[in-house]
């Protein structure tokens, strides 16, 4: 893929915050404005994350006017902000067309490390239909634009009073199904005129869309990402996480229908070929479902499957929601599973559920409230200035 092969921005109501520097440059040139205006505009949008074109005070008023007219912003409104007992915060956003998406701010359990992870959504709903995931029950709404993806990050940072240190595309949706907007968002985030996020601090998680893994690999393997005008020279790949969740095609077919299209062997082949950043490993996520994928035989197969791949495994105890007939294995079963895999020499960790009391944990994001609990009042479009900056505290 070359820079020219990146998708054309939509012509109608083109979302301003989704434009790459060279696209802003082309727009400025068409206005008869000097080239440096593109850098100024980009810095306002991605460095300062302004919410209105009027705030771009170093642009001449006529240029601001035509920018506002021709390339409007489509901001996310804060619809609901919930804080869990463990300090995890769920942000529900209302999009310009009245859809709802969620992001989750997760402070590090170890306050010493001062890590703040933001879990980002890539779609309204999801088309992948994993049987154990609440987002799947929504069906597919639409792709998020690159502007809506990066806006979650900038607005969450403003609410938190600090920038997230790590970004994970593990919110609602399948990021690789929305490949063009994901690639665009990654480029915008890495740009030194903007947030300057190192790709090494970004993780893209996929249910196993092999065509998307290959496209992402091609973008970074051939250095194409670095040739996008204005891109950083260090265009290293983001981290890759794969939701494996089973050790046989029979089980994976059942719980993740995408496996019928790309079975485990093909998925692992794509993982093997992924151009990892130096010293990085592929993360394999494994949602623990009692009686489904938690047997000793699974624990024995897992390291054999992953042999030869620089890998680590995260076990995620299943987080419940109303509907499917799954249950979480006992803590003892999960530990035994972990120990069996570890004995085979594999790095494997148990992820403790974060924010599950407010449905903010993995697989619980459905942009709605807990069944039976009263619907909290929508706060409408909260004025960010009036929301107290928040810092994670040790729990
Ligand atoms: N579509 C992407 C990213 C979103 S899901 C993907 O599939 O990777 C993020 C993680 O949550 C995935 O590893 C998924 O397997 C896991 N997950 C989904 N539902 C879950 C649930 N109910 N409990 C625990 N983890 C879940």
């Amino acid at each position: 893929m070359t820079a020219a092969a990146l998708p054309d921005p939509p012509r109608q109501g083109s979302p301003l915050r989704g434009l790459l520097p060279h696209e802003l440059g082309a727009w400025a040139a068409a206005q008869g404005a000097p080239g440096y205006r593109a850098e100024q505009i980009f810095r306002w949008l991605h460095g300062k994350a302004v919410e209105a074109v009027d705030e771009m005070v170093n642009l001449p008023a006529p240029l601001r006017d035509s920018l506002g007219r021709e390339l409007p912003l489509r901001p996310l409104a804060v619809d609901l902000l919930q804080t869990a007992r463990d300090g995890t915060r769920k942000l529900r956003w209302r999009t310009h067309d009245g859809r709802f998406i969620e992001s989750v701010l997760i402070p590090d359990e170890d306050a010493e490390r001062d890590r703040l992870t933001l879990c980002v959504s890539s779609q309204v709903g999801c088309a992948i239909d994993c049987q154990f995931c609440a987002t799947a029950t929504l069906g597919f709404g639409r792709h998020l634009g690159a502007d809506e993806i990066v806006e979650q990050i900038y607005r969450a940072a403003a609410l938190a009073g600090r920038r997230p240190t790590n970004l994970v595309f593990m919110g609602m949706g399948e990021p690789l199904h929305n490949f063009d907007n994901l690639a665009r968002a990654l480029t915008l985030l890495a740009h030194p005129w903007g947030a300057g996020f190192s790709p090494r601090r970004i993780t893209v998680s996929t249910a196993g869309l092999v065509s998307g893994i290959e496209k992402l690999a091609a973008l970074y393997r051939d250095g194409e990402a670095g040739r996008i005008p204005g891109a950083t020279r260090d265009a290293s790949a983001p981290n890759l996480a794969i939701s494996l969740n089973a050790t046989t095609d029979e089980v994976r077919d059942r719980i993740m229908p995408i496996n019928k299209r790309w079975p485990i062997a093909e998925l692992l082949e794509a993982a093997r070929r992924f151009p990892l950043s130096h010293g990085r490993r592929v993360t394999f996520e494994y949602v623990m479902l009692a009686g489904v994928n938690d047997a000793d035989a699974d624990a024995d197969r897992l390291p054999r499957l992953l042999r030869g791949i620089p890998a680590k495994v995260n076990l995620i105890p299943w987080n419940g929601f109303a509907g499917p007939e799954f249950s979480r294995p006992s803590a003892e079963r999960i530990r035994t599973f972990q120990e069996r895999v570890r004995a085979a020499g594999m790095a494997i960790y148990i992820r403790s559920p974060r924010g599950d009391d407010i449905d903010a944990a993995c697989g619980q994001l459905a942009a709605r409230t807990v069944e039976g609990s009263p619907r909290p009042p929508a706060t409408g479009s909260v004025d960010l200035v009036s929301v107290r900056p928040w810092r994670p505290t040790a729990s």
Side-chain angles (χ1 to χ4, degrees):
M1 189 162 30
T2 63
L6 272 172
D8 282 340
R11 307 218 183 287
Q12 274 278 305
S14 182
L16 175 56
R17 217 187 296 269
L19 298 183
L20 296 165
H22 70 285
E23 294 165 339
L24 288 173
W27 179 84
Q31 306 294 311
Y36 63 83
R37 296 292 182 204
E39 177 175 345
Q40 289 178 321
I41 297 169
F42 192 93
R43 286 185 185 277
W44 283 116
L45 292 168
H46 300 278
K48 298 256 188 278
V50 294
E51 289 179 51
V53 169
D54 282 350
E55 293 174 52
M56 302 182 180
V57 290
N58 60 356
L59 296 188
L63 193 65
R64 257 179 359 228
D65 288 347
S66 41
L67 192 58
R69 233 183 3 258
E70 293 181 23
L71 300 169
L73 288 162
R74 39 176 206 181
L76 297 176
V78 181
D79 183 64
L80 179 70
L81 190 76
Q82 283 174 291
T83 306
R85 280 189 296 271
D86 64 9
T88 298
R89 284 198 144 187
K90 184 163 82 172
L91 306 163
R92 185 165 75 202
W93 312 104
R94 196 178 59 244
T95 63
H96 69 103
D97 57 348
R99 312 290 192 114
F100 294 93
I101 54 163
E102 293 174 335
S103 320
V104 185
L105 272 164
I106 311 161
D108 206 305
E109 282 162 299
D110 176 359
E112 293 286 288
R113 279 194 297 200
D114 205 31
R115 191 149 90 165
L116 180 64
T117 300
L118 182 70
C119 179
V120 180
S121 289
S122 55
Q123 297 176 320
V124 177
C126 187
I128 305 293
D129 205 25
C130 301
Q131 299 299 295
F132 47 80
C133 176
T135 308
T137 63
L138 301 173
F140 179 64
R142 66 168 172 84
H143 291 310
L144 294 181
D147 58 325
E148 295 171 308
I149 293 174
V150 301
E151 180 129 359
Q152 291 171 64
I153 297 145
Y154 305 156
R155 301 289 298 274
L159 283 166
R162 61 179 287 211
R163 213 174 107 118
T165 55
N166 296 67
L167 303 177
V168 295
F169 282 85
M170 295 185 187
M172 296 167 69
E174 165 54 44
L176 295 181
H177 179 207
N178 187 10
F179 185 83
D180 291 342
N181 287 307
L182 172 76
R184 196 172 262 282
L186 291 173
T187 307
L188 294 170
L189 288 169
H191 201 285
W193 293 346
F197 256 105
S198 163
R200 296 172 64 89
R201 294 198 164 263
I202 301 179
T203 299
V204 174
S205 179
T206 177
L209 215 78
V210 168
S211 59
I213 298 174
E214 305 273 343
K215 275 206 280 191
L216 193 65
L219 194 59
Y220 293 95
R221 185 187 295 125
D222 310 331
E224 288 296 351
R227 290 199 284 277
I228 294 168
T232 41
R233 259 191 308 275
D234 164 34
S236 46
N239 303 301
L240 180 68
I242 293 179
S243 301
L244 185 61
N245 299 341
T247 61
T248 65
D249 283 322
E250 192 216 329
V251 172
R252 201 164 188 273
D253 278 353
R254 197 147 51 79
I255 61 175
M256 301 181 76
I258 194 174
N259 196 64
K260 294 180 190 148
R261 174 73 181 79
W262 289 290
I264 292 175
E266 281 183 44
L267 177 56
L268 296 182
E269 203 37 56
R272 220 167 247 122
R273 287 195 299 262
F274 192 75
L276 290 169
S277 289
H278 181 70
R280 291 298 152 117
R281 295 177 287 185
V282 179
T283 300
F284 287 90
E285 293 151 289
Y286 197 95
V287 181
M288 295 293 279
L289 304 166
V292 176
N293 63 4
D294 64 340
D296 285 348
D298 291 297
D300 295 341
R301 271 189 296 265
L302 190 55
R304 288 206 295 269
L305 280 174
L306 303 183
R307 187 165 299 149
I309 305 176
K312 70 169 179 192
V313 177
N314 280 339
L315 295 179
I316 314 175
W318 184 66
N319 294 307
F321 58 95
E325 287 164 11
F326 292 111
S327 59
R328 183 187 283 188
S330 69
E332 193 197 333
R333 174 87 296 256
I334 296 175
R335 265 198 310 277
T336 306
F337 190 99
Q338 178 191 29
E339 270 150 31
R340 266 186 109 89
V341 175
R342 185 171 280 164
M346 179 105 240
I348 178 166
Y349 309 94
I350 300 172
R351 300 300 298 262
S352 55
R354 304 297 307 276
D356 51 348
D357 52 324
I358 55 164
D359 281 345
C362 285
Q364 292 185 316
L365 299 185
R368 65 173 167 234
T369 52
V370 198
E371 207 73 20
S373 71
R375 191 186 165 83
T379 46
S381 177
V382 173
D383 177 4
L384 284 181
V385 189
S386 71
V387 176
R388 281 227 340 271
W390 161 84
R391 281 173 192 289
T393 50
S395 50

